Amino acid sequence: MFCVTQDFAEKGRKMRVVFIVYFVVIFGVATSVFATENVFDHPITEKALPQGLTELSRKFGEFQSMRSDFVQTKKISVLKFPLITKGGFFYAADYGVSWEIMTPFEAEIVITSAGYFERKNGEMLAETPASAKPQILRYLNTFLLLFSGKFDELGQFFSLSFLQNGNDWYIGLTPRGELAKVIQNIQLSGSVPARVKKLSIKEVNGDFTKIKFYDTAYSTKSLTESEQKLFQ
């Protein structure tokens, strides 16, 4: 039988807590620029979205769900080394996001418009309802909109930038209002037609997060009953 030392278990607990705090505070993000050009050098100045981003939004809207493996690298100032977590990612339109963390600890993080929830083996470990604070609902909705393709709605809270280079696209979001106190910028990148590859968030305090998505699969089918239960 596999045994875990007390020291290793304590480290795992601390890393799990850090991961949770990261989401509650504002789903933290990264510094790397994905394109040779800086996407923030291409701000959208017109009221209407450019054609490339409009088409990207339309393609996103065709999907009911997205599944992917992920590797997340989180740099936090209080930690000497970056925190790296791996697992499975599931986004479902009209439902939310489910992160199944497999290493270095096991947990399930569920984000919906109702709040932030952490479970393990079906047991609820922690929850933060969106009604707890007004800004929490704004943070949750921002994160969910990133994968919905509703960039016009994101434009209510962010100044948008867009760059397309061949089949690769890059979206930059610079927050306004309350979000600007926490986040410096967000970048989402992928390939045509609407395949997400990387998400990065750079925080005002210097912390950052990078999330890379692998073996991504999309579906236009409605969720099964078992899939719906993930968000209940």
Side-chain angles (χ1 to χ4, degrees):
M1 179 178 294
F2 180 74
C3 296
V4 181
T5 66
Q6 183 177 358
D7 180 62
F8 184 85
E10 179 64 16
K11 289 181 179 179
R13 186 190 66 79
K14 289 181 179 179
M15 286 189 287
R16 181 173 65 82
V17 170
V18 168
F19 189 92
I20 295 167
V21 170
Y22 147 66
F23 270 99
V24 173
V25 172
I26 185 42
F27 317 119
V29 185
T31 55
S32 65
V33 176
F34 301 135
T36 52
E37 293 184 75
N38 191 329
V39 64
F40 295 103
D41 291 336
H42 300 268
I44 298 174
T45 56
E46 303 295 330
K47 290 185 178 180
L49 298 179
Q51 181 178 354
L53 190 55
T54 299
E55 177 63 15
L56 187 61
S57 179
R58 185 185 69 81
K59 295 300 292 185
F60 266 106
E62 294 178 355
F63 301 125
Q64 289 296 312
S65 63
M66 165 188 166
R67 287 186 179 275
S68 177
D69 294 331
F70 76 87
V71 176
Q72 176 184 276
T73 302
K74 173 71 176 176
K75 180 65 179 70
I76 303 175
S77 56
V78 298
L79 297 180
K80 183 177 181 180
F81 300 104
L83 169 64
I84 299 177
T85 53
K86 300 179 181 180
F89 171 87
F90 180 39
Y91 166 77
D94 302 323
Y95 288 90
V97 169
S98 172
W99 300 81
E100 184 180 4
I101 308 166
M102 300 176 182
T103 181
F105 52 85
E106 294 184 1
E108 180 187 5
I109 306 297
V110 177
I111 301 169
T112 71
S113 59
Y116 165 94
F117 310 92
E118 185 200 2
R119 297 190 295 239
K120 184 175 182 180
N121 299 326
E123 179 183 353
M124 186 71 69
L125 298 181
E127 58 181 307
T128 303
S131 58
K133 292 183 179 180
Q135 59 266 39
I136 291 179
L137 178 60
R138 188 179 301 114
Y139 295 160
L140 294 171
N141 287 339
T142 294
F143 191 74
L144 295 176
L145 285 172
L146 285 172
F147 299 96
S148 71
K150 298 177 181 178
F151 304 116
D152 52 342
E153 293 187 32
L154 280 170
Q156 299 177 31
F157 309 105
F158 296 86
S159 297
L160 303 180
S161 301
F162 179 68
L163 171 64
Q164 186 162 353
N165 186 0
N167 290 328
D168 297 323
W169 50 262
Y170 310 85
I171 300 170
L173 300 96
T174 303
R176 298 191 294 263
E178 290 295 318
L179 288 176
K181 297 179 181 179
V182 182
I183 299 176
Q184 182 173 332
N185 62 57
I186 297 176
Q187 297 182 57
L188 188 69
S189 74
S191 60
V192 173
R195 184 170 297 277
V196 176
K197 292 184 177 180
K198 298 178 182 178
L199 169 64
S200 81
I201 305 169
K202 184 177 181 180
E203 300 174 35
V204 172
N205 64 4
D207 293 350
F208 66 85
T209 304
K210 301 177 185 179
I211 304 175
K212 295 184 178 181
F213 299 94
Y214 300 93
D215 299 328
T216 304
Y218 295 87
S219 175
T220 57
K221 297 180 179 180
S222 300
L223 267 62
T224 64
E225 289 187 11
S226 60
E227 290 174 330
Q228 294 177 32
K229 289 181 179 179
L230 291 173
F231 303 97
Q232 296 176 355

